Amino acid sequence: MSSLGWVGIISIVTAGLTIAIGSIAPAIGEGLALARALGALAQQPDEANTITRTLFVGLAMVESTAIYCFVVSMILIFANPFWNYFVNQAGG
Amino acid sequence: MSSLGWVGIISIVTAGLTIAIGSIAPAIGEGLALARALGALAQQPDEANTITRTLFVGLAMVESTAIYCFVVSMILIFANPFWNYFVNQAGG
Amino acid sequence: MSSLGWVGIISIVTAGLTIAIGSIAPAIGEGLALARALGALAQQPDEANTITRTLFVGLAMVESTAIYCFVVSMILIFANPFWNYFVNQAGG
Amino acid sequence: MSSLGWVGIISIVTAGLTIAIGSIAPAIGEGLALARALGALAQQPDEANTITRTLFVGLAMVESTAIYCFVVSMILIFANPFWNYFVNQAGG
Amino acid sequence: MSSLGWVGIISIVTAGLTIAIGSIAPAIGEGLALARALGALAQQPDEANTITRTLFVGLAMVESTAIYCFVVSMILIFANPFWNYFVNQAGG
Amino acid sequence: MSSLGWVGIISIVTAGLTIAIGSIAPAIGEGLALARALGALAQQPDEANTITRTLFVGLAMVESTAIYCFVVSMILIFANPFWNYFVNQAGG
Amino acid sequence: MSSLGWVGIISIVTAGLTIAIGSIAPAIGEGLALARALGALAQQPDEANTITRTLFVGLAMVESTAIYCFVVSMILIFANPFWNYFVNQAGG
Amino acid sequence: MSSLGWVGIISIVTAGLTIAIGSIAPAIGEGLALARALGALAQQPDEANTITRTLFVGLAMVESTAIYCFVVSMILIFANPFWNYFVNQAGG
Amino acid sequence: MSSLGWVGIISIVTAGLTIAIGSIAPAIGEGLALARALGALAQQPDEANTITRTLFVGLAMVESTAIYCFVVSMILIFANPFWNYFVNQAGG
Amino acid sequence: MSSLGWVGIISIVTAGLTIAIGSIAPAIGEGLALARALGALAQQPDEANTITRTLFVGLAMVESTAIYCFVVSMILIFANPFWNYFVNQAGG
Amino acid sequence: MSSLGWVGIISIVTAGLTIAIGSIAPAIGEGLALARALGALAQQPDEANTITRTLFVGLAMVESTAIYCFVVSMILIFANPFWNYFVNQAGG
Amino acid sequence: MSSLGWVGIISIVTAGLTIAIGSIAPAIGEGLALARALGALAQQPDEANTITRTLFVGLAMVESTAIYCFVVSMILIFANPFWNYFVNQAGG
Amino acid sequence: MSSLGWVGIISIVTAGLTIAIGSIAPAIGEGLALARALGALAQQPDEANTITRTLFVGLAMVESTAIYCFVVSMILIFANPFWNYFVNQAGG
Amino acid sequence: MSSLGWVGIISIVTAGLTIAIGSIAPAIGEGLALARALGALAQQPDEANTITRTLFVGLAMVESTAIYCFVVSMILIFANPFWNYFVNQAGG
């Protein structure tokens, strides 16, 4: 198989695994924070505004690590410089 | 086996594993949050509205990481640029 | 073995593993939420309606990740585009 | 060994592993929920009806993920489209 | 080695592993539920009937996942369609 | 090595691993239940009869999953249909 | 190496691993139960008889899973039907 | 395959895995801190300012380890000195 | 290498691993029971006799699983029937 | 492939894994410390200065282990003595 | 390499791993028991004699599993019957 | 590939993994100690001096294990005696 | 490579791994015991003598398992009977 | 590759892994003990002297296991008898 084929295959595998592995921790981290937020709401209903605001800012920060992985995954599928190089080679 | 065959096989494996692995953490995270929400409801029934709203907004955020994986999985099966390239090559 | 054979084999393995791995987390997550719901019922029987309704909406959301996996698994067995391509090739 | 042999072997392995792995989480999830239900019964005997009903509806939902795996396992043994294709090929 | 030999070997391994892995979770789940049931009996002796009845119905449900695995294991040893096909081939 | 040799080897390995892996969970599950039963006896000595009876019925149910594995293990050593087939072939 | 050699080697490995793996869980399960029994004795000295009796009957039940493994291990070393078959073949 | 191809493939795999593995711990660490922050807010609403400020400074510090990984990942895709060397070699 | 050599090597490895793995669980189980016994002594000094007696009888039972492994290990080194067979073959 | 190619590939993989693995523990350790700091702030608001100062000095110490890994990772990419040696060899 | 060489190598590896793995559990078990003993001393100083005596008898029992491994390890290095056999063969 | 190349590659991998693995435990250990120190400060503000001093002396001791790894890692990259030997050989 | 080389390599690997793995558990066990001893000192300062004495006797016992591993490691490096045998062979 | 090269490579890998793995447990054990010491200081400030002294003597004992590993690691890099033997051979 040519280099082009190998680069394609590896890009597919890596793109999939990157987002799959990379979504494990954010989902669990967000679940923990969300669970605790609901407990905090039940415990101190009067602070619902502060709690909810802090929760969503924090969730966005945790989500950012999932988004890093999603970005790398999309780059590997749609804007892969190694793939482009070899396609140019093959077409040259 | 040709490059085309390898790309097909790898796409199948990666699509399956991506959604399989990627659904582990959201399901557990959502389960934890849901479990805690029910506890919060039992503890502070008067705040049922705030709790339920926060819960579902949060669950949607956790679910988003599962959806990233599902999107990548669908792209790999139905809109795979590497597969399309090699099919064009083979048909060219 | 031909490409067709490999694609078939890989589809079988992936379909099985996808649903097997993908059902681990929803089952545990649902079990946790259900366990907590029963505790909430015992603690606050008067809120049985709210608790049960939130429980089943939440369980449906958790179940959705298992369904993503089941959908991918069924696609790989009965509507696999890679298999169809190679069957057409072999029959062409 | 022919493609037919490989497809048979892989179907056997996958069918077995799918139900074996797929039954881990439902059994544990159901065990947790059942354990908590008994605790809830001991704590609030007057709500035995609500608790038992919610328990069995919930258990059915958890069980559903085991049934997805059993369905895929049975399809792979008795209604495997890949096996049928190659048997037709071999007999053609 | 012929296809027949490989199918036989794989059937043996899969049958054994299916029941071995498949019995892990039910045994632990049942142990947890049983342990909690005994605690519930000690806590609320007057509800012994309800607790015991719920326990055994629930245990049967957990046991069902072990039975799925036992059924698949027995099918693979004594009613294996793939083995029958190749025995017929070899004897034909 | 002949098919007969391979089937023999695999039967030995599978028989051993099936009972070895299959005895992990029942032993732990029974240990948990037994530990809790002793705690229940210490807490509620007057219910010793109910507790002990429920314990032993439950232990028998947990033990059943170990027995499934022992049965499969014994079948693979002393009543293995695949081994018998190949012995007949070799002797025929 | 002949089939006879392979069967001997595999029997050695399997016999050792079966008892090694198979003794993990009973030892831990018995340790847990014993630990709890001592706690129960300290908590309710007057029930020492009932507790001790239940403990030893239960330990015997847990021990039984270790004994299944020991039996299979001894069968594989001293009464192995596969080894006997090949020794007869080699000597015939 | 040439050195160039291997360097490309390895760069893809490493870039993906680096960010995937490297985002696990920050996401969990941030989730834990966020969860505790919400509990602290519920417990001491008057200190919301100090708590929130300390939280976000700390989260930034935890996030820094994810950013190290993201930086290495981007370097490997877009500014890889090893890739550049071999491209120059190939083009020289 | 001859069969004799392989049987010797495998016997060494298996003997070592059997006792190494087989001593993990008894040591931990005994440690747990011993730890709890000391707690029980501190809690109920008047029952020191009953506690100590039950402890040592129980420890002997846990130790028995380590002894099974030691027995198999010694059999494999000093009374290995497979080794004896091949030594007789080689010397015959 | 030449030694140069291998050194390049291995440097890429090692650089990525070093920072990926090396950022796991600092992120979790910092998350734990941060979480506890927020709890301490809620518990003893008057000591906010001492707590925050100790926290940031401690975080810097934990961060140092991540920085060791980042340094090694950067050395391997941009100042790798082994790579330089072989580039000189190739260019000599 | 001759059988003698292989037996020597395997003996080295097995001797090392046996004592390495075999010392894990006793060290942890003894640590747990020791930790609890110190707690018991702090809780009930008047029973220091009984506690210390039970502790050291129990530690000796836990230590025995480490000693089994040390014995097997020393046998494999200095009194290995398989090594002696092959040395005699080579020297004969 | 020459011995020189292999030594270089292995040095790179080992240097990276040594510091990566070696920084896991110190970071977690320091995180735990730091977390507890903050709790101690909140609980006993008057002892801030003793606590902080003990903390930093202890952290330095934990950090020492990370520094052992960093030292070995730097030796392997910049003062590797095996690399020097082979470079002298190659240059001799 | 000769037998001598293999024996040397394996001795190096085994010596390193034996002490590396063998120092895991004693360090953790001693840490646990030490941690509890400090708690006991804080709880019962008057018994400092008894606690400290029991601690150090117990630590010596736990340390003994690390010393077994260190002894085996040193034997393998400096007094290895297998290495001596082959060096004599090579020199004879 | 010659024996000399292999011995060099293996020495590098083993030296690195020995200190890397060997520093995991001491760092965690010391972290636990340190964390508990800080709690003890907060709880019983008057015993600061006894606690700190016992802490540092204990830490030195835990550190000793890390030092065993460091010693073996340094021996393998700078005073390796196997390397010296082969260097003498090569130079002889």
Side-chain angles (χ1 to χ4, degrees), chain M residues 10-54:
Chain M
I10 293 295
S11 299
I12 295 170
V13 173
T14 309
L17 286 187
T18 299
I19 186 62
I21 297 175
S23 74
I24 290 174
I28 290 177
E30 291 177 15
L32 288 172
L34 182 54
R36 193 66 192 81
L38 297 164
L41 281 177
Q43 190 184 337
Q44 196 73 268
D46 299 341
E47 294 296 315
N49 279 341
T50 319
I51 289 171
T52 318
R53 204 180 49 231
T54 309

Side-chain angles (χ1 to χ4, degrees), chain E residues 3-58:
Chain E
S3 289
L4 189 59
W6 274 104
V7 169
I9 287 172
I10 295 294
S11 299
I12 294 170
V13 173
T14 310
L17 286 187
T18 300
I19 186 63
I21 297 175
S23 74
I24 290 174
I28 289 177
E30 291 177 15
L32 288 172
L34 181 54
R36 193 69 191 81
L38 297 164
L41 281 177
Q43 191 185 337
Q44 197 72 267
D46 299 341
E47 294 297 314
N49 279 341
T50 317
I51 290 170
T52 319
R53 203 181 49 232
T54 310
L55 174 69
F56 288 117
V57 175

Side-chain angles (χ1 to χ4, degrees), chain B residues 8-9 11-17 19 73-74 76-78, chain C residues 7-8 10-19 69-84, chain D residues 76 81-82:
Chain B
I9 287 171
S11 300
I12 294 171
V13 172
T14 310
L17 286 187
I19 185 63
S73 185
M74 287 295 106
L76 290 181
I77 296 180
F78 293 116
Chain C
V7 168
I10 295 294
S11 300
I12 294 170
V13 173
T14 310
L17 286 187
T18 300
I19 186 63
C69 293
F70 193 58
V71 163
V72 170
S73 185
M74 287 295 106
I75 287 172
L76 290 180
I77 295 180
F78 294 116
N80 190 327
F82 304 102
W83 170 259
N84 293 341
Chain D
L76 290 180
F82 305 102

Side-chain angles (χ1 to χ4, degrees), chain C:
Chain C
M1 200 166 57
S2 67
S3 290
L4 189 60
W6 273 104
V7 168
I9 287 171
I10 295 294
S11 300
I12 294 170
V13 173
T14 310
L17 286 187
T18 300
I19 186 63
I21 297 175
S23 75
I24 290 174
I28 289 177
E30 291 177 15
L32 288 173
L34 181 54
R36 193 68 191 81
L38 297 164
L41 281 177
Q43 191 184 338
Q44 197 71 267
D46 299 342
E47 293 296 314
N49 278 341
T50 318
I51 290 170
T52 318
R53 202 180 51 232
T54 310
L55 173 69
F56 288 118
V57 175
L59 284 187
M61 203 133 181
V62 178
E63 187 82 7
S64 74
T65 65
I67 289 173
Y68 293 165
C69 293
F70 193 58
V71 163
V72 170
S73 185
M74 287 295 106
I75 287 172
L76 290 180
I77 295 180
F78 294 116
N80 190 327
F82 304 102
W83 170 259
N84 293 341
Y85 177 86
F86 284 108
V87 167
N88 289 341
Q89 290 293 87

Side-chain angles (χ1 to χ4, degrees), chain L residues 9-60:
Chain L
I9 287 172
I10 294 294
S11 299
I12 295 170
V13 173
T14 309
L17 286 187
T18 299
I19 186 63
I21 296 175
S23 74
I24 290 175
I28 289 178
E30 291 177 16
L32 288 173
L34 182 54
R36 193 67 191 80
L38 297 164
L41 280 177
Q43 190 184 337
Q44 196 73 264
D46 299 341
E47 293 296 315
N49 279 341
T50 319
I51 289 170
T52 318
R53 204 181 49 233
T54 310
L55 174 69
F56 288 118
V57 175
L59 284 187

Side-chain angles (χ1 to χ4, degrees), chain I residues 42-56:
Chain I
Q43 191 184 337
Q44 197 73 267
D46 300 341
E47 293 296 315
N49 279 341
T50 318
I51 290 170
T52 319
R53 204 180 50 232
T54 309
L55 174 69
F56 288 117

Side-chain angles (χ1 to χ4, degrees), chain I:
Chain I
M1 201 166 55
S2 66
S3 289
L4 189 59
W6 274 104
V7 168
I9 287 171
I10 294 294
S11 299
I12 295 170
V13 173
T14 309
L17 286 187
T18 299
I19 186 63
I21 297 175
S23 74
I24 290 175
I28 290 178
E30 291 177 15
L32 288 173
L34 182 54
R36 193 69 191 79
L38 296 164
L41 281 176
Q43 191 184 337
Q44 197 73 267
D46 300 341
E47 293 296 315
N49 279 341
T50 318
I51 290 170
T52 319
R53 204 180 50 232
T54 309
L55 174 69
F56 288 117
V57 175
L59 283 187
M61 203 134 181
V62 177
E63 187 83 8
S64 74
T65 65
I67 289 173
Y68 294 165
C69 292
F70 192 58
V71 164
V72 170
S73 187
M74 287 295 105
I75 287 172
L76 290 180
I77 296 181
F78 294 114
N80 189 327
F82 304 103
W83 169 259
N84 293 341
Y85 178 86
F86 283 109
V87 167
N88 289 341
Q89 291 293 87

Side-chain angles (χ1 to χ4, degrees), chain F residues 1 9 13 16 24 35 42 63, chain G residues 3 6 10 18 25 36 44 64 68:
Chain F
M1 200 167 55
I9 288 171
V13 173
I24 290 174
E63 187 82 8
Chain G
S3 289
W6 273 104
I10 294 294
T18 300
R36 193 68 191 79
Q44 197 72 267
S64 74
Y68 294 165

